[in-house]
Amino acid sequence: MIAIIGAGISGLTLAYRLQQQGTPYILLESSAMPGGYLQTEVQKNSVLEKAANSILADQLVLDFIQELGLSQEVVEANAISKKRYVYKNGKYRALPSGPLSLLFGSFFSFRQRVNIFKEYFNTTPYRKDYTLYDLVNERFGKEIADYALDPFVSGVYAGNPKELLADLCFPVLGKNMNTYGSILKGFIKNPPKRRVSLTFERGLQTLIQTLASKVNNKRYDSAVKSIQPINGKWNLVVNYQQATENISCDQVVFALPAYEAATIIRSYSEAWATRFEAIEYPMVRNMHLIYKKEQFGLEPKGFGALHPRVEPLYTAGVIWNSSTFNDRTPKDEILLTCMVTEKRTPEVTTMSDQEAEAAILKEIKHLYRIKGEPLFSQTRLWKKGIPQYTVKMTTILNHCEELEKMNVYICSNWPYGISITDCIHRAHDLAAKFKA
Ligand SMILES: Cc1cc2nc3c(=O)[nH]c(=O)nc-3n(C[C@H](O)[C@H](O)[C@H](O)COP(=O)(O)OP(=O)(O)OC[C@H]3O[C@@H](n4cnc5c(N)ncnc54)[C@H](O)[C@@H]3O)c2cc1C
């Protein structure tokens, strides 16, 4: 039997696939509810996501959604959401949306645009230890690194591109350089496959609830405390309803954050606990704001706006939920999700909730020329937000085989990719491995 620890999207997807292929499993979740970072709340006719907002789905994920019978509930992003804005020199400017607007538009300086063109002929070899910032700066120039890469990395990883490894975050860059000499040439010869940005009518929790309803062998309120090998099997010590019980299994899957995996494995291996707890999870604060449309001087129309760290702002970016997806809030209202990250704004870690919320409100009011107060506001603080794909993640990847030989597996948003799509892929791959 396989014990899956954690019922977020990763653990649930794995449990569902194992059940389908007839592989015995048990899914253990410490909370009273499944979902982890996928939590939706419907408040005052608005659909509010506490962490993840949308899925950038590839074909495997679209097929999975269809298989779960959820295609009718999918809400695809509106066409206008192709427009993304970046704050530059005191105002929002549309990011170039294609090669023509990139080369002939005015977002980047003439010199920068020439640099982009030159990358096509650059044959400097790829290095696996490139940080994202160094690679992009070296190949394309500082403007691209500061105004395209940096805000994008803040939005996806809540991280700093000077710390994140290109090889782990966007392996396609190295692949293009190794195969074609140039990143640009690689994208021209092998354009990225189509992906669809989507959510569901009642938010991302639809996916969680559907999966949970189909997975039979699950237990909530069951926090795994430690694992120990006994007679060739793993013994799990589980806290359930204020009692402690033991569960015996053949394989253990960590489908939970690295720092939780560290506490569980410590009783067995200090070395693995140290590797796991070295993964950094910087703080992220989300704030939902709802206003009447008429309060806006500058109405948000697009996916959202990102705020590069070279610009003197407090927030890392704002998702324009009601413009991206229909029916997130009544038609005469606007729903925004503002994000503040420790990596961009370190002072967020020492500010009280009231101070942080006041700083966000002040900035948003100014940026969007808003009159009056929001109809609704709600904050969610993730003290440990998103795992950082730094060199410490490489250590785990390099030793994964050793872990798997001990019948311990990782199936979560580390170390195989951070997005919901990555998590679904990893769960599928692992299920296939258990079948073989
Ligand atoms: C603010 C924020 C915004 C994001 N936005 C997006 C987005 O828009 N799109 C996107 O694709 N991705 C986004 N992500 C990333 C994505 O949401 C996560 O990577 C993904 O949901 C992780 O799923 P998981 O199942 O691997 O882990 P988790 O969601 O962390 O689930 C782990 C589960 O394990 C349980 N658990 C913990 N300890 C124990 C224990 N001892 N015993 C048993 N159970 C335990 C937890 O309660 C939890 O339910 C975002 C993340 C954050 C933080």
Side-chain angles (χ1 to χ4, degrees), residues 2 8 13 54 94 98 119 145 192 234 264 362 375-376 382 395 409:
I2 300 167
T13 307
S54 56
E119 200 278 336
W234 283 105
I264 294 173
K362 187 172 167 209
L375 304 174
F376 173 84
W382 296 93
T395 317
Y409 299 80

Side-chain angles (χ1 to χ4, degrees), residues 39 146 270 371:
Q39 294 178 29
D146 286 339
E270 189 60 42
K371 289 197 198 90

